[in-house]
Amino acid sequence: MLNNQDSLISENPLPHNKPSNCSYPANIGRLIEAELHRQGRTVTWLSRQLHCNRRNIYDIFERQSLDSELLFRISRVLGTDFFKIFSHCFIAAGDSLPDYDKTM
């Protein structure tokens, strides 16, 4: 379960603050990097938590988008719900999220 350490997201879910024309959130890799540093953690720590080498972490920081499974793993490790960024952007654009309980 994610804890409430998602201040990076809750304080400013869209770094560019332009929800009306938001089609895709800012560089997710840079947001992950910022959150890692905000928590005072190192790339080495994150690479150990994700069971990969440090080069992979630096590659993640450069990515515009990530696979949902990887983003979920990073969210769990950092205790930060990075998916909120996408939800906020989607809703801010005037779209509604589907009610999956009714479709399943």
Side-chain angles (χ1 to χ4, degrees):
M1 185 114 240
L2 297 178
N3 61 34
N4 290 329
Q5 293 181 353
D6 57 355
S7 63
L8 174 74
I9 294 169
S10 61
E11 290 174 8
N12 192 5
L14 298 171
H16 46 72
N17 284 328
K18 296 179 183 175
S20 61
N21 64 356
C22 180
S23 60
Y24 195 78
N27 184 317
I28 190 68
R30 292 290 177 210
L31 295 175
I32 291 167
E33 180 180 23
E35 179 61 14
L36 180 71
H37 294 302
R38 187 194 70 76
Q39 291 184 17
R41 301 193 185 273
T42 65
V43 169
T44 300
W45 176 86
L46 185 57
S47 69
R48 287 181 181 149
Q49 298 301 308
L50 296 175
H51 306 288
C52 65
N53 64 49
R54 291 181 314 147
R55 181 71 248 158
N56 288 354
I57 302 301
Y58 289 111
D59 289 343
I60 288 170
F61 294 162
E62 298 299 320
R63 293 187 193 174
Q64 187 76 22
S65 63
L66 289 177
D67 172 86
S68 59
E69 180 182 354
L70 178 57
L71 187 59
F72 179 76
R73 289 175 53 212
I74 293 169
S75 292
R76 296 240 4 213
V77 166
L78 291 177
T80 303
D81 185 355
F82 289 101
F83 290 95
K84 281 185 179 180
I85 298 168
F86 297 95
S87 296
H88 176 80
C89 188
F90 189 76
I91 293 167
D95 299 326
S96 60
L97 296 172
D99 187 356
Y100 288 106
D101 290 337
K102 293 180 181 177
T103 60
M104 297 181 136

